[in-house]
Amino acid sequence: MSWITLKTTKARWEAELMQQILNAYDIPCRVLNIGAGIYCGDGSQAAIQVRTKDRWTALLLLSPAEDVQD
């Protein structure tokens, strides 16, 4: 199985939140620690990875909602 890094964050909790969203849609994912936080108290930097075949679906689920103008 091939994995791709979808996003990186300054705090692990952000990656864990994204992981919960993807798990709700049955998209396999994993969170990896990638280093110490840049600022004190930020926790550790993390990355969220998904399978290559789930990349676009995961990006759509994690993207911000678009503003619709009338």
Side-chain angles (χ1 to χ4, degrees), residues 1-4 6 15-31 48-63:
M1 187 177 325
S2 182
W3 295 86
I4 186 168
L6 195 62
E16 289 174 350
L17 180 60
M18 288 186 270
Q19 182 180 37
Q20 289 178 10
I21 293 168
L22 295 175
N23 284 338
Y25 289 92
D26 296 322
I27 296 176
C29 58
R30 60 187 182 186
V31 174
I48 182 118
Q49 292 187 332
V50 296
R51 295 180 307 182
T52 304
K53 71 177 193 168
D54 294 322
R55 176 184 181 191
W56 295 112
T57 303
L59 282 171
L60 286 172
L61 288 169
L62 298 177
S63 65

